[in-house]
Amino acid sequence: MTDWTVDRKARIAYSYERFAQAKIFVFRKWCDQAKDRGLLPPADLSGSCKYGSLFMNQVFGGAICGHYEHQYNIIGGRIVDLSHDAIDVGRITNPYLHEPDFFAIPEKRASLNSCLPRVEGWVIEFLAGIED
């Protein structure tokens, strides 16, 4: 299985402008996913950190870091978190704690890998829109 905590090569360069575009895109996809599941539209990216960090990792490279409450990215040596302003992240005492052993848990790796097909579809769509 993939080790998500190692640095991955970027498909496109990270920038603040691209971060903003990615955040809007992932929020739209998060809303679509809620609709598909028969849930109310989300107010923010609460609960999306697994999808968001995988997406950012696949697009902008870097590594996925985190712990049992939250995961985020390290890209170019800096913390990058699509859900930094989400309500659930704001409730975490130390959202940017990194526990590498958490990502070695087989169930955690399987969970991330199970989200990858959906995220890869998002990545293709996002990159196609960026290239327009």
Side-chain angles (χ1 to χ4, degrees), residues 11-12 20 34 37 40 63 69 73 88 108 123:
R11 293 188 190 180
I12 61 172
R37 293 177 173 173
L40 294 174
E69 287 183 288
N73 303 85
D88 66 342
K108 178 62 181 173
V123 168

Side-chain angles (χ1 to χ4, degrees), residues 23 26-28 30 42-49 82-83 85-86 88:
K23 185 168 179 141
V26 170
F27 181 68
R28 191 173 74 240
W30 192 237
D44 61 20
L45 285 170
S46 288
S48 71
C49 67
L82 279 182
S83 56
D85 56 355
D88 66 342

Side-chain angles (χ1 to χ4, degrees), residues 58-113:
Q58 295 297 301
V59 174
F60 301 110
I64 298 176
C65 295
H67 54 98
Y68 76 98
E69 287 183 288
H70 185 57
Q71 62 190 55
Y72 54 93
N73 303 85
I74 299 292
I75 300 172
R78 70 181 141 219
I79 294 172
V80 177
D81 183 6
L82 279 182
S83 56
H84 66 95
D85 56 355
I87 292 169
D88 66 342
V89 175
R91 292 181 178 145
I92 301 169
T93 302
N94 190 357
Y96 302 114
L97 173 69
H98 179 53
E99 295 178 333
D101 291 343
F102 177 65
F103 291 91
I105 298 169
E107 293 83 4
K108 178 62 181 173
R109 286 186 176 190
S111 175
L112 285 168
N113 285 327

Side-chain angles (χ1 to χ4, degrees), residues 2-9 57 61-65 74 98 103:
T2 305
D3 181 356
W4 298 104
T5 63
V6 297
D7 223 24
R8 176 181 298 278
K9 185 179 176 191
N57 181 259
I64 298 176
C65 295
I74 299 292
H98 179 53
F103 291 91

Side-chain angles (χ1 to χ4, degrees), residues 8-28:
R8 176 181 298 278
K9 185 179 176 191
R11 293 188 190 180
I12 61 172
Y14 175 82
S15 69
Y16 294 123
E17 177 185 5
R18 295 279 195 239
F19 175 87
Q21 292 170 324
K23 185 168 179 141
I24 291 166
F25 179 85
V26 170
F27 181 68
R28 191 173 74 240

